[in-house]
């Protein structure tokens, strides 16, 4: 029989390394986190052969005093927490005290450090040898800070080494890690070299403008130019950063950076909230892009959930979810044509500056050609606790005009009724104003209709082309939604109440949520331990499969704690109705009707995309037109 024995230090560390050290990128992540925790503001990263030959990271942080050097390489040794209280209020990126030990056990690692508070003026080198990983310390030369050199990763764990991909793939992953961390700390300068070639060189970015520039360097200038900047605070939570306009979407969810108190995370709750916020405006199957920072009290989030610290658990997930959803939803709704136009000249051109050689507007990006950038340093502020007000702080166009429910009815006749003499006169006057370049509305004045599909309009910058049906559809839809909201959801009792057999958990859930469901027009009662009765439904859902809807709603609530299904379903129906009720192709519109549509677009929330996320209008600026005709070249 085999006897029980303690594992050697190295073997124990190698087992731990299985969880945290998967590939060169994970080594870089751990080492960079240590630099940041040490308060460095300059970090240099040197890589050879995708990281499998060499990873060398030098920082100018606080360093490690000589007496602690041996401990730095041993497992369960950390300077970042000391007791359980600390664990519940973590402000540092590291806290598990096992990264260096793990990395050291599967590579040839050398650490040189000179502490800020050193009593001598030499630096010290530490290495670990043998099965017990005993440390050897010797003097070395080094400025204040720390250099960790990791050579021949996985040289002693051939099974792991076999899983490494090509040099390029490994380097790409590693570079992605550097990007993520670079976006988490604008105050720190980063440089990254691969096989002696400079790949990234990012200066510290203290000002808002420099931060925007770093985001453009890391995510590509097209992202910054097609996104809005937000900064929203409510109930002790703050969300700020950049979110893409719905017309800038990607085929992959790859341009999505979400930080919680400076730590990048991937989280189902966050993805769900973001997805929901974009739901109404994003082209089916596409993904939004964002760089977002959530800040909250450290004690409200548990970071000790996963060895790689990629996941977190929010103490009040529901609050965070609702906050994210509302903040993003409102921000996207407030985008008006005038926000996208206007500041074209004020924005510094960032074209072609992506250091990693990625095309500026890669394949995965759908971006309407005419979209122009807007200087959005003003940011977005809001207050959810109070009036749910959100406005652009710095005069980015007028604040959203609230839609009155009666606008809906007057609206539907807006484009088909006879055009009065007075309206024609108004248009003529408006056109004259355009000639004089004063008072031109953002989307300009209509000049013609093309093939019964597009409206051509002239504004201050050039030519606006509007997809008539798409624009009208969005406007009708938004009007119907707000009419629905302001008048409340009309409900009707079912002539024959519908009883549904459900599980006990679902019945409990229905009982608990009865009030919330009633607010959405759905009246449910519990009939028995495993049965519920639906007595009332929203009028608009009269023809729907109520049993299926109720089942889906209950399973949503059980899984996510909330369900948007009724509202979504309602929105879907409204969207279909809007689509059928909107101007079809080949309808001749008068100039006055076209102008009325343009003015409505300027007023309506989310009017930049149709209900399917396609753009409703584009701008061809005079500059772009001049280029087409090689004018002035
Ligand atoms: P953790 O980061 O979880 O504490 P690590 O194994 O990554 O564990 O590091 C162990 C300790 O070594 C840290 O707590 C820190 O005190 C020290 N250390 C590691 N890297 C650095 C560095 N670049 N600068 C200063 N101290 C460092
Ligand atoms: Mg660490």
């Amino acid at each position: 029989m085999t006897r029980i024995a303690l594992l050697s230090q190295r073997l124990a560390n190698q087992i731990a390394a299985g969880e945290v050290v998967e590939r060169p990128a994970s080594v870089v992540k751990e080492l960079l986190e240590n630099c940041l925790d040490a308060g460095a503001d300059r970090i240099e990263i040197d890589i050879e052969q995708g990281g499998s030959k060499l990873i060398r990271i030098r920082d100018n942080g606080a360093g490690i005093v000589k007496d602690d050097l041996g401990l730095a390489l041993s497992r369960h040794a950390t300077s970042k927490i000391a007791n359980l209280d600390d664990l519940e209020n973590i402000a540092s990126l590291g806290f598990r005290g096992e990264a260096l030990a793990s990395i050291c056990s599967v590579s040839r690692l050398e650490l040189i450090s000179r502490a800020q508070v050193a009593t001598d003026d030499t630096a010290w080198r530490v290495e670990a040898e043998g099965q017990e990983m005993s440390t050897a310390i010797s003097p070395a030369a080094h400025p204040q800070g720390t250099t960790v050199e990791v050579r021949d990763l996985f040289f002693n764990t051939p099974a792991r080494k076999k899983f490494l991909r090509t040099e390029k793939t490994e380097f790409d992953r590693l570079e992605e890690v550097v990007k993520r961390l670079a976006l988490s700390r604008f105050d720190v300068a980063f440089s990254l070299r691969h096989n002696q070639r400079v790949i990234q060189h990012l200066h510290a970015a203290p000002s808002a403008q420099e931060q925007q520039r770093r985001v453009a360097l890391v995510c590509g200038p097209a992202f910054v130019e097609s996104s809005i900047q937000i900064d929203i605070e409510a109930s002790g939570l703050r969300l700020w950063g950049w979110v893409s306009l719905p017309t800038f979407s990607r085929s992959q969810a790859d341009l999505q950076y979400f930080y919680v108190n400076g730590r990048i995370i991937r989280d189902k709750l966050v993805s769900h909230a973001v997805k929901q916020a974009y739901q109404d405006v994003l082209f089916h199957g596409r993904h939004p892009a964002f760089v977002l920072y959530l800040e909250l009290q450290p004690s409200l989030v548990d970071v000790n959930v996963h060895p790689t610290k990629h996941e977190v658990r929010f103490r009040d997930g529901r609050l965070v979810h609702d906050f994210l959803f509302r903040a993003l939803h409102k921000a996207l709704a407030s985008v008006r044509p005038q926000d996208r136009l206007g500041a074209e000249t004020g924005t510094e051109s960032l074209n072609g500056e992506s250091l990693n050689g990625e095309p500026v507007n890669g394949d995965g990006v759908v971006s309407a050609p005419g979209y122009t950038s807007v200087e959005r340093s003003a940011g977005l502020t809001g207050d959810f606790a109070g009036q749910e007000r959100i406005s652009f702080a710095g005069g980015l166009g007028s604040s959203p005009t609230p839609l009155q429910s009666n606008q809906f009815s007057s609206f539907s006749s807006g484009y088909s009724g006879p055009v009065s003499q007075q309206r024609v006169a108004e248009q003529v006057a408006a056109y004259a104003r355009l000639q004089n370049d004063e008072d031109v509305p953002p989307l300009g004045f209509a000049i013609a209709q093309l093939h019964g599909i597009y409206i051509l309009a002239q504004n201050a910058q050039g030519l606006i082309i509007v997809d008539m049906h798409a624009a009208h559809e969005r406007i009708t839809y938004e009007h119907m939604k707000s009419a629905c909201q302001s008048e409340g959801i009309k409900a009707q009792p079912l002539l024959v109440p519908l009883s549904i057999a459900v599980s006990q958990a679902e019945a409990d859930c229905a009982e608990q949520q009865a009030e919330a469901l009633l607010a959405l027009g759905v009246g449910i009662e519990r009939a028995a331990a495993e049965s519920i009765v639906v007595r009332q439904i929203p009028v608009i859902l009269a023809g729907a499969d109520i049993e299926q809807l109720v089942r889906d709603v209950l399973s949503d609530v059980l899984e996510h704690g909330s369900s948007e299904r009724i509202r979504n379903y309602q929105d879907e129906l409204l969207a279909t109705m809007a689509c059928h009720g909107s101007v079809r192709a080949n309808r001749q519109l008068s100039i006055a009707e076209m102008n009325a549509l343009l003015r409505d677009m300027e007023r309506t929330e989310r009017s930049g995309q149709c209900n399917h996320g396609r753009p409703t209008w584009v701008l061809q600026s005079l500059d772009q037109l001049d280029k087409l005709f090689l004018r002035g070249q």
Side-chain angles (χ1 to χ4, degrees):
M1 204 172 60
T2 317
R3 303 285 303 276
I4 301 176
L6 270 178
L7 298 173
S8 75
Q9 279 300 323
R10 187 170 292 268
L11 190 53
N13 286 331
Q14 284 171 335
I15 292 170
E19 282 183 310
V20 261
V21 192
E22 205 186 340
R23 50 178 11 110
S26 24
V27 173
V28 170
K29 171 181 183 286
E30 293 295 337
L31 297 183
L32 286 180
E33 287 186 353
N34 282 344
C35 304
L36 295 174
D37 283 343
D41 63 9
R42 213 177 55 240
I43 302 177
E44 289 161 27
I45 307 149
D46 259 306
I47 304 296
E48 277 172 34
Q49 293 178 13
S52 57
K53 174 144 187 273
L54 171 77
I55 296 171
R56 185 194 300 121
I57 299 188
R58 165 175 295 206
D59 69 54
N60 64 346
I64 306 171
V65 293
K66 184 187 173 199
D67 292 347
D68 285 357
L69 274 180
L71 277 179
L73 301 191
S74 49
R75 199 147 56 103
H76 306 310
T78 179
S79 57
K80 298 169 194 175
I81 57 170
N83 54 43
L84 190 63
D85 258 6
D86 294 344
L87 185 59
E88 288 176 356
N89 278 291
I90 288 173
S92 56
L93 294 168
F95 56 87
R96 301 174 61 98
E98 59 184 9
L100 286 182
S102 302
I103 298 166
C104 190
S105 72
V106 293
S107 69
R108 301 184 217 276
L109 182 144
E110 170 187 291
L111 184 154
I112 302 176
S113 191
R114 174 145 159 195
Q116 195 170 24
V117 293
T119 42
D120 45 23
D121 50 357
T122 44
W124 297 91
R125 165 190 293 113
V126 60
E127 283 160 286
E129 285 149 11
Q131 272 313 103
E132 285 316 308
M133 297 186 65
S134 47
T135 48
I137 296 179
S138 53
H142 195 280
Q144 190 209 306
T146 305
T147 296
V148 179
E149 213 176 80
V150 176
R151 289 185 181 273
D152 306 326
L153 185 63
F154 300 140
F155 79 96
N156 53 358
T157 50
R160 256 289 141 105
K161 198 170 169 85
K162 260 195 242 148
F163 279 100
L164 291 186
R165 312 283 289 275
T166 62
E167 174 173 336
K168 177 167 185 317
T169 307
E170 292 302 337
F171 183 76
D172 286 350
R173 298 198 183 193
L174 184 159
E175 191 189 358
E176 181 60 28
V177 165
V178 176
K179 285 179 174 182
R180 286 180 195 166
L181 281 152
L183 287 179
S184 80
R185 289 290 298 272
F186 290 107
D187 54 333
V188 178
F190 290 84
S191 78
L192 171 64
R193 275 195 301 257
H194 189 206
N195 300 333
Q196 264 102 54
R197 246 185 69 225
V198 176
I199 305 293
Q200 294 269 6
H201 191 77
L202 302 166
H203 300 284
S207 74
Q209 208 176 4
E210 288 161 300
Q211 291 179 7
Q212 174 132 328
R213 208 179 141 78
R214 177 175 289 193
V215 174
L217 285 171
V218 172
C219 304
F223 166 68
V224 169
E225 287 173 15
S226 318
S227 59
I228 49 171
Q229 217 177 324
I230 63 168
D231 191 346
I232 296 162
E233 237 179 305
S235 347
L237 306 171
R238 175 175 178 218
L239 181 72
W240 63 279
W242 292 260
V243 289
S244 65
L245 291 167
T247 37
F248 176 96
S249 63
R250 300 183 59 92
S251 58
Q252 309 280 322
D254 57 349
L255 220 167
Q256 302 191 338
Y257 298 91
F258 195 91
Y259 299 84
V260 176
N261 291 342
R263 183 191 304 279
I264 186 136
I265 58 142
R266 289 234 163 232
D267 186 88
K268 261 169 67 183
L269 178 143
V270 170
S271 323
H272 187 258
V274 173
K275 214 169 133 198
Q276 223 170 55
Y278 273 91
Q279 178 165 51
D280 222 11
V281 287
L282 203 62
F283 196 69
H284 184 70
R286 307 281 305 179
H287 302 270
F290 52 83
V291 177
L292 283 172
Y293 305 87
L294 177 68
E295 289 168 13
L296 71 172
Q297 242 182 56
S299 61
L300 296 179
V301 42
D302 187 356
V303 293
N304 186 24
V305 187
H306 195 269
T308 59
K309 300 163 286 178
H310 268 144
E311 286 169 30
V312 293
R313 198 177 295 127
F314 296 105
R315 298 250 191 274
D316 189 348
R318 187 70 194 273
L319 177 81
V320 173
H321 182 279
D322 284 2
F323 170 69
L324 293 177
F325 168 72
R326 281 158 168 249
L328 294 174
H329 189 72
K330 286 259 164 169
L332 291 171
S334 350
V335 179
R336 292 290 191 285
Q338 43 273 48
D339 300 330
R340 268 172 28 200
L341 294 165
E344 196 182 20
T345 44
T347 316
E348 194 184 343
S349 169
L350 295 155
N351 284 329
E353 276 197 62
S354 176
L355 277 177
N356 49 18
E358 269 177 21
V360 158
N361 193 345
D363 272 343
V365 177
V366 176
S367 170
Y371 278 23
T372 50
S373 50
V374 179
E375 187 67 76
R376 287 167 198 284
S377 50
L380 199 64
T381 55
D383 173 12
F384 288 101
Q387 292 287 315
E388 288 210 1
R389 260 178 305 108
I390 290 201
S391 58
F392 284 101
L396 276 173
S398 54
S399 59
T401 323
L403 291 166
Q404 262 84 52
S405 52
N406 62 1
Q407 257 178 305
F408 176 40
S409 42
S410 67
F411 170 83
S412 11
S413 59
Y415 306 122
S416 47
V419 179
S420 70
Q421 283 300 319
Q422 188 202 341
R423 239 174 134 188
V424 172
E426 272 170 24
Q427 292 308 325
V428 172
Y431 195 74
R433 276 207 304 277
L434 179 59
Q435 303 299 317
N436 299 330
D437 229 36
E438 30 168 287
D439 272 355
V440 186
L443 293 178
F445 295 112
I447 44 184
Q449 194 179 6
L450 186 70
H451 285 288
I453 302 172
Y454 298 107
I455 294 171
L456 307 183
Q458 174 177 332
N459 78 348
Q461 280 128 311
L463 174 69
I464 297 279
I465 307 171
V466 174
D467 178 335
M468 192 172 94
H469 174 70
H472 192 193
E473 185 180 327
R474 166 59 74 178
I475 293 169
T476 312
Y477 176 46
E478 290 297 329
H479 282 243
M480 287 169 83
K481 272 200 304 192
S482 64
C484 206
Q485 265 160 30
S486 61
E487 284 161 23
I489 295 169
K490 291 217 177 68
Q492 69 181 31
L494 287 174
L495 283 179
V496 185
L498 173 69
S499 69
I500 306 177
V502 293
S503 72
Q504 178 137 18
E506 286 169 328
D508 288 345
C509 170
E511 205 172 357
Q512 282 154 18
Q513 300 290 325
E515 214 166 300
L517 290 168
L518 196 61
L520 293 169
V522 182
I524 294 187
E525 277 167 29
R526 187 171 193 157
E530 296 189 341
S531 145
I532 55 171
V533 178
V534 184
R535 296 196 180 279
Q536 174 192 304
I537 57 164
V539 173
I540 191 165
L541 298 185
D545 180 348
I546 295 301
E547 174 165 347
Q548 192 55 49
L549 185 64
V550 168
R551 284 187 187 285
D552 290 348
V553 167
L554 291 179
S555 79
D556 275 359
V557 178
L558 284 174
E559 199 187 325
H560 302 295
S562 76
S563 177
E564 290 289 316
R565 255 177 221 275
I566 299 177
R567 191 153 286 144
N568 290 344
Y569 199 77
Q570 210 161 273
D571 283 353
E572 247 169 60
L573 283 174
L574 288 178
T576 312
M577 284 160 61
C579 180
H580 292 297
S582 299
V583 264
R584 292 271 142 201
N586 283 322
R587 205 160 88 49
Q588 287 303 316
L589 296 185
S590 70
I591 294 282
E593 287 173 321
M594 291 190 255
N595 279 325
L597 182 62
L598 294 177
R599 299 298 80 78
D600 251 321
M601 287 172 69
E602 285 156 3
R603 243 177 298 154
T604 304
E605 294 193 333
R606 306 179 190 86
S607 68
Q609 319 84 46
C610 77
N611 304 344
H612 315 288
R614 288 188 289 263
T616 54
W617 61 273
V618 294
L619 165 74
Q620 282 284 305
S621 68
L622 281 178
D623 277 358
Q624 288 166 321
L625 290 171
D626 285 350
K627 274 199 196 112
L628 275 180
F629 293 98
L630 308 175
R631 256 174 166 257
Q633 288 187 8

